Amino acid sequence: MIPSLLPTYNRVDLAFEQGQGSWLFTAGGERYLDLAAGIAVNALGHANPDLVEVLTRQAARLWHISNLYTIPQQQQLADMLVDASFADTVFFTNSGTEACELAVKMARKYWHDKGQEGRTRIIGFEGSFHGRSSAGIAAAGGDKLTKGFGPLLPGFTHLPFGDLDGLTNALSEGDVAAVIIEPVQGEGGIRPVADDDLKAIRAACDAAGALLIFDEVQCGMGRTGKLFAHEWSGVSPDIMMVAKGIGGGFPLGAVLATEDAASGMVAGTHGSTYGGNPLACAVGAKVVEIINDPAFLEDVRRKSGLLRQKLEGLVASHPDVFDAVRGSGLMLGLVCKAPNTDVLTACYDAGVLCVPAADNVLRVLPALTIEDDDLNEALARLETAAKTIEGQGT
Ligand SMILES: *Cc1c(COP(=O)(O)O)cnc(C)c1O
């Protein structure tokens, strides 16, 4: 018999009743150190007092009003994001997937309105993830996401990760509307695109006149120690998808774009019932205010250095369990030698939460606000997990 919850998730048998900072508590009172942060969503930790305050204050005033009307919280957050980024304009969604939908529509509409109706192809990269909708799975490609869901949305092709020659060739065909890429692949196993490669991709898009879409749903919002991951490379996209961290746990996503890239999206071309509602935008504005503070981002970079050093030590002292550390900022991946699912189980037993990813990686994605003491405790618990694996003689 089918469970009453559609069984699409591989859930672990753990239920949490409460969270505080980087800690989660079960109903039975067991504590878990959270290095998953809801998959890079709880950027400011659990039950962050500033976010609780802004959410409850807004909840007592107005939850929802519809985009038929002016929403001051939405305007405020858009202004903040425009001030803080390459973008001239912002559309709010409820998720990263919805941000992908709009990014794809925006890129195609751009060329349509320029009189190049045939310019519809979107190029993505293998190992990427852009959400579970029809556009999201088509953009990412790969059997794991797409098998059985055909016919897929047409007009997407995929290149191996880092295939710059392939990109130049594809762009030379003249039918490419846009290139979509995560500056740091998340689900794909914490694979950062080298800064020089991002620069080369930008240059190739410029040479061919194609739009460049960055998917910063996972790597954005301070995760890498800059507000947006692409800032490290010095190049910016034409369109960018943001979600996860921007709501701190409240569902919120956004598409940021330049005036030119957004030029096709005139009144009536897109919309959302909930997207940018007062609750989400009140929380989002507080999240952006907190993260986009030079001192906050500096501290993320400091903690990132500390954590990375500790993880390198962990890998060095458990060479049968781990192979390497990679990533950027507080978006780190432990490349495992033992099966990552086994290591994850040992982590749960040791009271620490990580997230599996492709390429036999365990993601370490703590709250950006994690305390130094908790980083030390995290390492102690990861050590315990590694010893458990060693004891199993893998
Ligand atoms: C999570 C994720 C998405 C999809 O976001 P949802 O909010 O789950 O719809 C898209 N792109 C990337 C890079 C992600 O990590």
Side-chain angles (χ1 to χ4, degrees):
M1 202 172 71
I2 192 165
S4 55
L5 277 173
L6 188 72
T8 59
Y9 297 107
N10 283 310
R11 292 181 199 273
V12 59
D13 187 20
L14 268 176
F16 299 106
E17 196 176 58
Q18 209 181 318
Q20 192 68 55
S22 289
W23 291 90
L24 284 164
F25 305 88
T26 64
E30 290 168 320
R31 335 189 306 142
Y32 287 76
L33 186 51
D34 185 8
L35 303 182
I39 319 187
V41 167
N42 301 101
L44 302 179
H46 298 284
N48 180 291
D50 291 325
L51 299 191
V52 171
E53 208 250 343
V54 78
L55 178 66
T56 50
R57 187 157 26 96
Q58 185 60 45
R61 287 182 180 170
L62 187 65
W63 288 25
H64 183 79
I65 185 67
S66 151
N67 286 303
L68 291 168
Y69 311 103
T70 299
I71 302 177
Q73 295 82 1
Q74 203 182 103
Q75 184 62 54
Q76 182 200 3
L77 180 53
D79 289 342
M80 292 170 82
L81 290 168
V82 164
D83 280 349
S85 75
F86 72 96
D88 303 311
T89 190
V90 183
F91 182 93
F92 292 105
T93 68
N94 307 288
S95 68
T97 301
E98 289 169 70
C100 181
E101 293 294 320
L102 174 55
V104 167
K105 283 178 71 176
M106 185 182 281
R108 288 180 166 169
K109 186 68 162 39
Y110 176 84
W111 292 108
H112 172 274
D113 287 13
K114 297 265 185 230
Q116 298 192 43
E117 279 93 345
R119 196 158 182 172
T120 56
R121 184 148 68 110
I122 313 255
I123 296 183
F125 289 89
E126 289 168 9
S128 57
F129 183 78
H130 302 300
R132 298 288 196 150
S133 66
S134 294
I137 62 175
D143 268 7
K144 204 174 152 229
L145 293 170
T146 62
K147 199 165 176 230
F149 296 112
L152 298 178
L153 192 62
F156 292 85
T157 53
H158 305 94
L159 295 169
F161 184 81
D163 183 5
L164 297 179
D165 291 341
L167 181 63
T168 308
N169 285 340
L171 285 167
S172 71
E173 286 166 38
D175 63 342
V176 177
V179 173
I180 182 167
I181 187 166
E182 297 163 76
V184 184
Q185 279 192 356
E187 305 299 312
I190 311 289
R191 296 198 293 176
V193 180
D195 289 345
D196 282 346
D197 284 5
L198 273 191
K199 284 186 190 139
I201 290 166
R202 176 74 267 181
C205 286
D206 287 345
L211 297 172
L212 180 55
I213 303 168
F214 284 164
D215 180 346
E216 293 226 13
V217 168
Q218 194 163 148
C219 63
M221 295 311 301
R223 184 55 48 192
T224 68
K226 300 244 188 214
L227 184 60
F228 297 112
H230 69 263
E231 292 172 26
W232 289 105
S233 72
V235 295
S236 48
D238 303 294
I239 300 171
M240 180 168 70
M241 298 149 54
V242 176
K244 294 202 164 93
I246 194 172
F250 198 94
L252 177 63
V255 174
L256 281 65
T258 64
E259 181 171 10
D260 183 43
S263 57
M265 302 308 294
V266 297
T269 55
H270 198 63
S272 166
T273 295
Y274 292 121
N277 98 352
L279 287 173
C281 288
V283 175
K286 183 51 88 176
V287 171
V288 173
E289 179 196 315
I290 292 172
I291 293 180
N292 191 30
D293 169 345
F296 183 93
L297 290 169
E298 177 59 42
D299 203 44
V300 172
R301 295 193 287 272
R302 181 189 63 79
K303 281 186 280 209
S304 154
L306 207 63
L307 177 60
R308 183 148 194 151
Q309 197 178 30
K310 289 175 193 294
L311 293 178
E312 300 278 6
L314 178 78
V315 169
S317 51
H318 302 282
D320 294 337
V321 182
F322 301 112
D323 192 30
V325 183
R326 67 190 183 201
S328 174
L330 289 175
M331 184 173 183
L332 296 172
L334 282 164
V335 186
C336 297
K337 271 201 193 132
N340 63 348
T341 46
D342 292 356
V343 184
L344 182 60
T345 302
C347 286
Y348 291 145
D349 291 343
V352 58
L353 309 183
C354 301
V355 192
D359 221 15
N360 205 31
V361 163
L362 266 195
R363 278 177 278 182
V364 177
L365 305 164
L368 306 180
T369 49
I370 190 168
E371 311 263 343
D372 289 11
D373 284 352
D374 291 340
L375 285 177
N376 291 331
E377 183 62 28
L379 259 290
R381 290 177 183 226
L382 290 170
E383 280 282 343
T384 303
K387 285 179 185 149
T388 304
I389 298 292
E390 284 163 349
Q392 291 166 356
T394 46

